[in-house]
């Protein structure tokens, strides 16, 4: 689920630029692992208050929008690189504690779906 921190204001990165970074990571992995053994997971959506001072002011409202665009951009990379794709935001949401990270229940949900996906890949 690499890419969340790339949504921070200081990077001014678009979803496509962030996805290009994931593509570069996949290119490196493809030197050692076949494409059918790679699972690209797009990150959770940032919550609506992530940018607030009591959460993580390194993000802003644009960061939220960018995080919501990542799944489509990552899906395109997965198709291009012929790797498996999973949209984490379809299964879990950022905790209201910080609007950024998974809570224990979210971790459990993601563990189950990733296990199922990887099992299907084998």
């Amino acid at each position: 689920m690499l890419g969340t921190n790339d949504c921070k204001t200081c990077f001014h990165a678009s979803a496509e630029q962030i996805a290009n970074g994931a593509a570069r990571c996949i290119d490196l992995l493809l030197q050692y692992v076949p494409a059918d053994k790679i699972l690209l997971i797009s990150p959770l959506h940032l919550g609506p208050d992530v940018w607030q001072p009591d959460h993580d002011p390194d993000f802003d409202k644009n960061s939220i929008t960018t995080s919501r665009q990542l799944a489509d951009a990552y899906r395109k990379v997965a198709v291009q690189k012929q790797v498996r794709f999973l949209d984490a935001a379809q299964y879990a949401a950022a905790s209201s504690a910080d609007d950024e990270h998974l809570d224990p229940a979210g971790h459990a949900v993601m563990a189950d779906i990733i296990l199922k996906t990887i099992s299907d890949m084998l």
Side-chain angles (χ1 to χ4, degrees):
M1 292 195 317
L2 296 175
T4 300
N5 285 335
D6 295 324
C7 294
K8 290 183 177 182
T9 308
C10 65
F11 297 119
H12 306 287
S14 68
E16 290 75 22
Q17 289 169 319
I18 296 168
N20 285 339
R24 287 193 299 276
C25 290
I26 292 170
D27 287 340
L28 292 173
L29 285 172
L30 287 170
Q31 296 176 34
Y32 306 99
V33 180
D36 65 344
K37 302 295 184 206
I38 298 174
L39 174 61
L40 177 61
I41 305 175
S42 64
L44 304 171
H45 297 161
L46 293 168
D49 294 323
V50 69
W51 57 276
Q52 296 289 342
D54 61 335
H55 283 33
D56 193 340
D58 288 333
F59 294 103
D60 64 10
K61 290 181 181 181
N62 290 329
S63 302
I64 299 164
T65 301
T66 300
S67 78
R68 293 180 176 277
Q69 297 168 342
L70 289 175
D72 287 338
Y74 276 47
R75 187 177 288 109
K76 290 175 186 173
V77 168
V79 168
Q80 177 188 30
K81 302 294 181 182
Q82 298 179 329
V83 302
R84 292 290 299 265
F85 172 74
L86 182 68
D87 179 0
Q90 293 297 309
Y91 301 97
S95 166
S96 61
D98 67 1
D99 279 332
E100 183 177 356
H101 298 98
L102 290 167
D103 61 13
H107 276 285
V109 168
M110 288 308 304
D112 287 344
I113 192 65
I114 292 170
L115 176 62
K116 181 185 180 320
T117 304
I118 290 172
S119 296
D120 291 346
M121 291 169 65
L122 299 176

